[in-house]
Amino acid sequence: MYKRGIVQVWSLEQPDWHCKIDEGSAGLVASCWSPDGRHILNTTEFHLRITVWSLCTKSVSYIKYPKACQQGIAFTKDGHYMALAERRDCKDFISLFVCSDWQLLRHFDTETQDLAGIEWAPNGCVLAVWDTCLEYKILLYSLDGRLLSTYRAYEWSLGIKSIAWSPSSQFLAIGSYDEKVRILNHVTWKKITEFEHPPIIANPKIIVYKEVEKSATVETQKLSFPPTRELASSLFSIPSKYDISQVPMSLQYIKPVADRANPRIGIGTLAFSPDNCFLATKNDNTPNAIWIWDIQKLKLFVVLEQLCTVNSFQWDPRQPRLAICTGNSKVYLWSPAGCVSVQVPMEGDFQVLSLCWHSGGDTMALLSKDNFCLCYLEREEVK
């Protein structure tokens, strides 16, 4: 509860156990779990410090000088180390901590003007650090603080907007404001290819799935009062399906307004599938489209065009299956076998604004503005 500066914690296994953390006059702007689930990290107002609270020993640790940026805290996948972006004396620094006892492991400065974010490779060996959007620069550091490589694609233009590591740590995808994704390899940290996102799909080998509305068919004999949940849901929304479009075709393209802050331009979101085979990207100039790239062939594989703006998408953590939401009462699923549009069976108009997969891959949490629901999927055996 940010306004009151309070964090509340409950135990799912012990209903009687609960905890309240009060930051008091220091305030609260962010809170997150440590990977071991035994500590909570709270960031105070104005980013004066990070307070590390232990749920086991009730001890408190303080970390000074955290930087207010897009992504300033990053944990390694195994949960052993934490990297923290810091700002001291008008310079950017990185501090590496051991998560078991929060002792400082390394502290080094970075060659950035205004650090925007940090992200560990999944193997925990390399830390990616990228600069402000006003300068295209990404720096790659080892665990002991050595600068391994620096990559700059161009100068004097808006730079990096998003990055994503492949699960194998072999590729680093960089999305930028010039509507391109550049793929770096983990051996030389040089570019091996770049993916463009043109508004016209001309290659006949690319499959384009287009969402279309289909007329609702409600049989009057089945109408009941009060209506069933499924019937009420179908009355509030228009069902849809996917058609395969003829190529060439034009995607809905938005020309960015140049005289306003935060223009809708460039690659805002990208994510690798868990098997390293696919990369999903969203170009903010074509907000209704998702591009799926074949990483083995380094080519565009599929384009999905939705009726509404894509709010969020996330890969199934166990298989190449992509879940998409667009702010309506549907969930969309893509796999190499095809696409499907699924109506959420909730009463009224349940608008799915974001979603999150369970680590097992058979459950999703769907979030609207005021509610959430759990979506259970039948588990298919992955051969």
Side-chain angles (χ1 to χ4, degrees), residues 133-191:
C133 65
L134 300 176
E135 182 173 0
Y136 195 118
K137 181 193 279 189
I138 190 160
L139 307 157
L140 297 150
Y141 290 94
S142 64
L143 190 59
D144 58 0
R146 288 179 298 114
L147 179 62
L148 299 175
S149 184
T150 302
Y151 178 73
R152 306 180 73 162
Y154 51 80
E155 294 184 32
W156 317 118
S157 186
L158 290 177
I160 296 170
K161 191 168 186 179
S162 57
I163 78 157
W165 285 97
S166 68
S168 64
S169 304
Q170 291 175 298
F171 302 112
L172 176 61
I174 307 170
S176 52
Y177 284 88
D178 66 349
E179 303 177 49
K180 294 180 182 179
V181 173
R182 293 167 176 84
I183 306 290
L184 307 187
N185 73 81
H186 74 297
V187 179
T188 62
W189 301 114
K190 303 296 186 201
K191 183 185 76 173

Coordinates of all heavy atoms in Angstrom, one line a residue, residues 133-191:
C133 N 17.7 6.4 -23.5 CA 17.1 6.3 -24.8 C 17.7 7.3 -25.8 O 17.6 7.2 -27.0 CB 15.6 6.4 -24.8 SG 15.0 8.0 -24.3
L134 N 18.4 8.4 -25.2 CA 19.0 9.4 -26.1 C 20.3 8.9 -26.7 O 20.8 9.6 -27.6 CB 19.2 10.7 -25.3 CG 18.0 11.3 -24.6 CD1 18.3 12.5 -23.8 CD2 17.0 11.7 -25.7
E135 N 20.8 7.8 -26.3 CA 22.1 7.3 -26.8 C 22.0 5.8 -26.9 O 21.7 5.1 -25.9 CB 23.2 7.7 -25.9 CG 24.6 7.3 -26.4 CD 25.8 7.8 -25.6 OE1 25.5 8.5 -24.6 OE2 26.9 7.5 -26.0
Y136 N 22.3 5.3 -28.1 CA 22.3 3.8 -28.3 C 23.6 3.2 -27.8 O 24.6 3.3 -28.5 CB 22.1 3.5 -29.8 CG 21.7 2.1 -30.1 CD1 20.5 1.8 -30.7 CD2 22.6 1.0 -29.7 CE1 20.2 0.4 -31.0 CE2 22.2 -0.3 -30.0 CZ 21.0 -0.6 -30.6 OH 20.7 -1.9 -30.9
K137 N 23.6 2.6 -26.6 CA 24.8 2.0 -26.1 C 24.3 0.9 -25.1 O 23.5 1.1 -24.2 CB 25.6 3.0 -25.3 CG 26.9 2.4 -24.8 CD 27.6 3.3 -23.8 CE 28.4 4.3 -24.5 NZ 29.3 5.1 -23.5
I138 N 24.9 -0.3 -25.3 CA 24.7 -1.4 -24.4 C 26.0 -2.0 -24.0 O 26.9 -2.2 -24.8 CB 23.8 -2.5 -25.0 CG1 23.4 -3.5 -23.9 CG2 24.4 -3.2 -26.2 CD1 22.1 -4.3 -24.2
L139 N 26.2 -2.2 -22.7 CA 27.5 -2.6 -22.1 C 27.3 -4.0 -21.5 O 26.3 -4.3 -20.9 CB 28.0 -1.7 -21.1 CG 28.1 -0.2 -21.5 CD1 28.0 0.7 -20.3 CD2 29.4 0.1 -22.3
L140 N 28.3 -4.9 -21.7 CA 28.2 -6.2 -21.2 C 29.3 -6.5 -20.2 O 30.5 -6.4 -20.5 CB 28.2 -7.2 -22.3 CG 27.0 -7.1 -23.2 CD1 27.4 -7.5 -24.7 CD2 25.8 -7.9 -22.8
Y141 N 29.0 -6.8 -18.9 CA 30.0 -6.9 -17.8 C 30.0 -8.4 -17.3 O 28.9 -9.0 -17.3 CB 29.6 -6.0 -16.7 CG 29.9 -4.5 -17.0 CD1 28.8 -3.7 -17.4 CD2 31.1 -4.0 -16.8 CE1 29.0 -2.4 -17.7 CE2 31.3 -2.6 -17.0 CZ 30.3 -1.8 -17.5 OH 30.5 -0.5 -17.8
S142 N 31.1 -8.8 -16.9 CA 31.2 -10.2 -16.3 C 30.9 -10.1 -14.8 O 30.7 -9.0 -14.3 CB 32.7 -10.7 -16.5 OG 33.6 -9.9 -15.8
L143 N 30.8 -11.2 -14.1 CA 30.5 -11.2 -12.7 C 31.5 -10.5 -11.8 O 31.1 -10.0 -10.8 CB 30.3 -12.7 -12.3 CG 29.7 -13.0 -10.9 CD1 28.3 -12.4 -10.8 CD2 29.6 -14.5 -10.7
D144 N 32.7 -10.4 -12.3 CA 33.8 -9.8 -11.5 C 33.9 -8.3 -11.9 O 34.9 -7.6 -11.4 CB 35.1 -10.5 -11.6 CG 35.6 -10.6 -13.0 OD1 34.9 -10.1 -13.9 OD2 36.7 -11.2 -13.3
G145 N 33.0 -7.8 -12.7 CA 33.0 -6.3 -13.0 C 33.8 -5.9 -14.2 O 33.9 -4.7 -14.5
R146 N 34.4 -6.9 -15.0 CA 35.1 -6.6 -16.2 C 34.2 -6.2 -17.3 O 33.1 -6.9 -17.5 CB 36.0 -7.7 -16.6 CG 37.2 -7.9 -15.7 CD 38.1 -9.1 -16.2 NE 37.3 -10.4 -16.2 CZ 37.0 -11.1 -17.3 NH1 37.3 -10.6 -18.5 NH2 36.3 -12.2 -17.2
L147 N 34.5 -5.2 -18.1 CA 33.7 -4.8 -19.3 C 34.1 -5.8 -20.4 O 35.2 -5.8 -20.9 CB 34.0 -3.4 -19.7 CG 33.3 -2.9 -20.9 CD1 31.7 -2.9 -20.8 CD2 33.7 -1.5 -21.3
L148 N 33.2 -6.6 -20.8 CA 33.4 -7.6 -21.9 C 33.3 -7.0 -23.3 O 34.1 -7.3 -24.2 CB 32.5 -8.8 -21.8 CG 32.5 -9.6 -20.4 CD1 31.4 -10.6 -20.4 CD2 33.9 -10.2 -20.3
S149 N 32.3 -6.2 -23.5 CA 32.0 -5.6 -24.8 C 31.1 -4.4 -24.7 O 30.3 -4.3 -23.7 CB 31.4 -6.7 -25.7 OG 31.3 -6.2 -27.0
T150 N 31.2 -3.6 -25.7 CA 30.3 -2.4 -25.9 C 29.7 -2.5 -27.3 O 30.4 -2.7 -28.2 CB 31.0 -1.1 -25.7 OG1 31.6 -1.1 -24.4 CG2 30.0 0.1 -25.8
Y151 N 28.4 -2.3 -27.4 CA 27.7 -2.4 -28.7 C 26.9 -1.1 -28.9 O 26.2 -0.7 -28.1 CB 26.8 -3.6 -28.9 CG 26.1 -3.6 -30.2 CD1 26.8 -3.9 -31.4 CD2 24.8 -3.3 -30.3 CE1 26.2 -4.0 -32.6 CE2 24.1 -3.3 -31.5 CZ 24.8 -3.6 -32.7 OH 24.2 -3.6 -33.9
R152 N 27.2 -0.4 -30.1 CA 26.4 0.7 -30.5 C 26.0 0.5 -32.0 O 26.9 0.3 -32.8 CB 27.3 2.0 -30.4 CG 27.8 2.2 -29.0 CD 28.6 3.5 -28.8 NE 27.8 4.6 -28.8 CZ 28.2 5.8 -28.4 NH1 29.4 6.0 -27.9 NH2 27.4 6.9 -28.4
A153 N 24.8 0.6 -32.3 CA 24.3 0.4 -33.6 C 24.4 1.7 -34.5 O 24.6 1.7 -35.7 CB 22.9 -0.1 -33.6
Y154 N 24.1 2.8 -33.8 CA 24.1 4.1 -34.5 C 24.2 5.2 -33.5 O 24.2 5.0 -32.3 CB 22.8 4.3 -35.4 CG 21.5 4.1 -34.6 CD1 21.0 5.0 -33.8 CD2 20.8 2.9 -34.8 CE1 19.8 4.8 -33.1 CE2 19.6 2.7 -34.1 CZ 19.1 3.7 -33.3 OH 17.9 3.4 -32.6
E155 N 24.3 6.5 -34.0 CA 24.4 7.6 -33.1 C 23.4 8.7 -33.5 O 22.8 8.6 -34.5 CB 25.9 8.2 -33.1 CG 26.9 7.3 -32.6 CD 28.3 7.9 -32.5 OE1 28.4 9.2 -32.3 OE2 29.3 7.2 -32.7
W156 N 23.3 9.7 -32.6 CA 22.5 10.9 -32.8 C 21.0 10.6 -33.2 O 20.4 11.2 -34.0 CB 23.1 11.7 -33.9 CG 24.5 11.9 -33.8 CD1 25.5 11.5 -34.7 CD2 25.3 12.5 -32.8 NE1 26.7 11.7 -34.3 CE2 26.7 12.4 -33.1 CE3 24.9 13.1 -31.5 CZ2 27.6 12.9 -32.2 CZ3 25.9 13.6 -30.7 CH2 27.3 13.4 -31.1
S157 N 20.5 9.6 -32.5 CA 19.0 9.3 -32.6 C 18.6 8.5 -31.4 O 19.4 8.0 -30.6 CB 18.8 8.4 -33.9 OG 17.4 8.3 -34.1
L158 N 17.2 8.4 -31.2 CA 16.7 7.6 -30.1 C 17.3 6.2 -30.2 O 17.3 5.5 -31.2 CB 15.2 7.6 -30.1 CG 14.5 8.9 -29.7 CD1 13.0 8.8 -29.8 CD2 14.9 9.4 -28.3
G159 N 17.6 5.6 -29.0 CA 18.4 4.3 -29.0 C 17.6 3.1 -28.6 O 16.5 2.8 -29.2
I160 N 18.0 2.5 -27.4 CA 17.4 1.2 -27.0 C 16.1 1.4 -26.2 O 16.0 2.3 -25.4 CB 18.5 0.5 -26.1 CG1 19.7 0.2 -26.9 CG2 17.9 -0.8 -25.5 CD1 20.9 -0.3 -26.1
K161 N 15.1 0.6 -26.6 CA 13.8 0.7 -25.9 C 13.5 -0.6 -25.1 O 12.9 -0.5 -24.1 CB 12.7 0.8 -27.0 CG 11.3 1.2 -26.4 CD 10.3 1.6 -27.4 CE 9.1 2.1 -26.7 NZ 8.1 2.6 -27.7
S162 N 14.0 -1.8 -25.5 CA 13.8 -3.0 -24.8 C 14.9 -4.0 -25.1 O 15.5 -3.9 -26.2 CB 12.4 -3.6 -25.1 OG 12.3 -3.8 -26.5
I163 N 15.1 -5.0 -24.2 CA 16.1 -6.0 -24.5 C 15.5 -7.3 -24.0 O 14.6 -7.4 -23.1 CB 17.5 -5.8 -23.9 CG1 17.5 -6.1 -22.4 CG2 18.0 -4.4 -24.1 CD1 18.8 -6.4 -21.8
A164 N 16.0 -8.5 -24.5 CA 15.6 -9.8 -24.0 C 16.8 -10.8 -24.2 O 17.3 -10.8 -25.3 CB 14.3 -10.3 -24.6
W165 N 17.1 -11.6 -23.2 CA 18.0 -12.7 -23.3 C 17.3 -13.9 -23.8 O 16.2 -14.2 -23.3 CB 18.7 -12.9 -22.0 CG 19.8 -12.0 -21.6 CD1 19.6 -10.9 -20.7 CD2 21.1 -11.9 -21.9 NE1 20.7 -10.2 -20.5 CE2 21.7 -10.8 -21.3 CE3 21.9 -12.7 -22.8 CZ2 23.1 -10.5 -21.4 CZ3 23.3 -12.4 -22.9 CH2 23.8 -11.3 -22.3
S166 N 18.0 -14.7 -24.6 CA 17.4 -16.0 -24.9 C 17.6 -17.0 -23.7 O 18.6 -16.8 -22.9 CB 18.1 -16.6 -26.1 OG 19.4 -17.0 -25.9
P167 N 16.8 -17.9 -23.5 CA 16.9 -18.8 -22.3 C 18.3 -19.5 -22.2 O 18.7 -19.9 -21.1 CB 15.8 -19.8 -22.4 CG 14.8 -19.1 -23.2 CD 15.5 -18.2 -24.2
S168 N 18.9 -19.8 -23.3 CA 20.2 -20.4 -23.4 C 21.4 -19.5 -23.1 O 22.5 -19.9 -23.1 CB 20.4 -21.2 -24.7 OG 20.4 -20.2 -25.7
S169 N 21.1 -18.2 -23.1 CA 22.1 -17.1 -22.9 C 23.0 -16.9 -24.2 O 24.0 -16.2 -24.1 CB 23.0 -17.3 -21.7 OG 22.2 -17.5 -20.5
Q170 N 22.6 -17.6 -25.3 CA 23.4 -17.5 -26.5 C 23.1 -16.2 -27.3 O 23.9 -15.8 -28.1 CB 23.1 -18.7 -27.4 CG 23.7 -20.0 -26.8 CD 23.3 -21.2 -27.7 OE1 22.1 -21.5 -27.9 NE2 24.2 -21.9 -28.2
F171 N 21.9 -15.7 -27.2 CA 21.5 -14.5 -27.9 C 21.0 -13.4 -27.0 O 20.3 -13.7 -26.0 CB 20.4 -14.9 -29.0 CG 20.8 -15.9 -29.9 CD1 20.1 -17.2 -29.9 CD2 21.7 -15.7 -30.9 CE1 20.5 -18.2 -30.8 CE2 22.1 -16.7 -31.8 CZ 21.4 -18.0 -31.7
L172 N 21.3 -12.2 -27.4 CA 20.7 -11.0 -26.8 C 20.0 -10.2 -27.8 O 20.6 -9.7 -28.8 CB 21.8 -10.1 -26.2 CG 21.4 -8.8 -25.5 CD1 20.4 -9.1 -24.4 CD2 22.6 -8.0 -25.0
A173 N 18.7 -10.0 -27.7 CA 17.9 -9.3 -28.6 C 17.7 -7.9 -28.1 O 17.3 -7.7 -26.9 CB 16.5 -9.9 -28.8
I174 N 17.9 -6.9 -29.0 CA 17.8 -5.5 -28.6 C 16.8 -4.8 -29.5 O 17.0 -4.7 -30.7 CB 19.2 -4.8 -28.7 CG1 20.3 -5.5 -28.0 CG2 19.1 -3.3 -28.3 CD1 21.7 -5.0 -28.3
G175 N 15.7 -4.3 -28.9 CA 14.7 -3.6 -29.6 C 15.0 -2.1 -29.5 O 15.2 -1.6 -28.4
S176 N 14.9 -1.4 -30.6 CA 15.2 0.1 -30.6 C 14.1 0.9 -31.3 O 13.1 0.4 -31.8 CB 16.5 0.3 -31.3 OG 16.5 -0.3 -32.6
Y177 N 14.3 2.2 -31.2 CA 13.3 3.2 -31.7 C 13.2 3.2 -33.2 O 12.4 3.9 -33.7 CB 13.5 4.6 -31.1 CG 13.1 4.7 -29.6 CD1 14.0 4.3 -28.6 CD2 11.9 5.1 -29.3 CE1 13.6 4.5 -27.3 CE2 11.5 5.3 -28.0 CZ 12.3 4.9 -27.0 OH 12.0 5.0 -25.7
D178 N 14.2 2.6 -33.9 CA 14.2 2.6 -35.3 C 13.4 1.5 -35.9 O 13.5 1.1 -37.1 CB 15.6 2.7 -35.9 CG 16.4 1.4 -35.6 OD1 15.9 0.6 -34.8 OD2 17.4 1.2 -36.2
E179 N 12.6 0.8 -35.1 CA 11.6 -0.3 -35.5 C 12.4 -1.5 -35.9 O 11.9 -2.3 -36.7 CB 10.7 0.2 -36.6 CG 9.9 1.4 -36.2 CD 9.0 1.9 -37.4 OE1 8.3 1.0 -38.0 OE2 9.0 3.1 -37.7
K180 N 13.6 -1.8 -35.3 CA 14.4 -2.9 -35.7 C 14.8 -3.7 -34.4 O 14.9 -3.1 -33.3 CB 15.6 -2.6 -36.5 CG 15.3 -2.0 -37.8 CD 16.6 -1.7 -38.6 CE 16.4 -1.0 -39.9 NZ 17.7 -0.7 -40.6
V181 N 15.0 -5.0 -34.5 CA 15.5 -5.8 -33.5 C 16.9 -6.3 -33.9 O 17.0 -6.9 -35.0 CB 14.6 -7.0 -33.1 CG1 15.3 -7.9 -32.1 CG2 13.3 -6.5 -32.5
R182 N 17.9 -6.1 -33.1 CA 19.2 -6.6 -33.5 C 19.6 -7.8 -32.5 O 19.4 -7.7 -31.3 CB 20.3 -5.5 -33.4 CG 20.0 -4.4 -34.5 CD 20.8 -3.2 -34.2 NE 20.7 -2.2 -35.3 CZ 19.7 -1.3 -35.4 NH1 18.7 -1.3 -34.5 NH2 19.6 -0.5 -36.4
I183 N 20.1 -8.8 -33.1 CA 20.5 -10.0 -32.3 C 22.0 -10.1 -32.2 O 22.7 -10.1 -33.2 CB 20.0 -11.3 -33.0 CG1 18.5 -11.2 -33.3 CG2 20.3 -12.5 -32.2 CD1 17.6 -11.3 -32.1
L184 N 22.5 -10.1 -31.0 CA 23.9 -10.3 -30.7 C 24.2 -11.7 -30.3 O 23.4 -12.3 -29.6 CB 24.4 -9.3 -29.6 CG 24.1 -7.8 -29.7 CD1 24.8 -7.1 -28.6 CD2 24.5 -7.3 -31.1
N185 N 25.4 -12.2 -30.7 CA 25.8 -13.6 -30.2 C 26.7 -13.5 -29.0 O 27.3 -12.5 -28.7 CB 26.5 -14.3 -31.4 CG 27.9 -13.8 -31.6 OD1 28.8 -14.2 -30.9 ND2 28.0 -13.0 -32.6
H186 N 26.8 -14.6 -28.2 CA 27.5 -14.6 -26.9 C 28.9 -14.9 -27.0 O 29.6 -14.9 -26.0 CB 26.8 -15.6 -26.0 CG 27.2 -17.0 -26.4 ND1 26.8 -17.6 -27.6 CD2 27.8 -18.0 -25.7 CE1 27.2 -18.9 -27.6 NE2 27.9 -19.1 -26.5
V187 N 29.5 -15.1 -28.3 CA 30.9 -15.4 -28.4 C 31.7 -14.1 -28.7 O 32.6 -13.8 -27.9 CB 31.1 -16.4 -29.6 CG1 32.6 -16.7 -29.7 CG2 30.4 -17.7 -29.3
T188 N 31.2 -13.3 -29.7 CA 32.0 -12.1 -30.0 C 31.2 -10.8 -29.6 O 31.7 -9.7 -29.7 CB 32.2 -12.0 -31.5 OG1 31.0 -12.0 -32.2 CG2 33.0 -13.3 -32.0
W189 N 29.9 -11.0 -29.2 CA 29.0 -9.9 -28.9 C 28.9 -8.9 -30.1 O 28.7 -7.7 -29.9 CB 29.5 -9.1 -27.6 CG 29.6 -10.0 -26.4 CD1 30.7 -10.4 -25.8 CD2 28.5 -10.7 -25.8 NE1 30.3 -11.2 -24.7 CE2 29.0 -11.4 -24.7 CE3 27.1 -10.7 -26.0 CZ2 28.2 -12.2 -23.8 CZ3 26.3 -11.4 -25.1 CH2 26.9 -12.2 -24.1
K190 N 28.9 -9.5 -31.3 CA 28.6 -8.7 -32.5 C 27.3 -9.1 -33.0 O 26.7 -10.1 -32.7 CB 29.7 -9.1 -33.6 CG 31.1 -8.8 -33.2 CD 31.4 -7.4 -32.9 CE 32.9 -7.2 -32.6 NZ 33.2 -5.9 -31.9
K191 N 26.7 -8.2 -33.9 CA 25.4 -8.4 -34.5 C 25.5 -9.6 -35.5 O 26.3 -9.6 -36.4 CB 24.9 -7.1 -35.1 CG 23.5 -7.2 -35.7 CD 23.1 -6.0 -36.4 CE 23.8 -5.9 -37.8 NZ 23.4 -4.8 -38.6

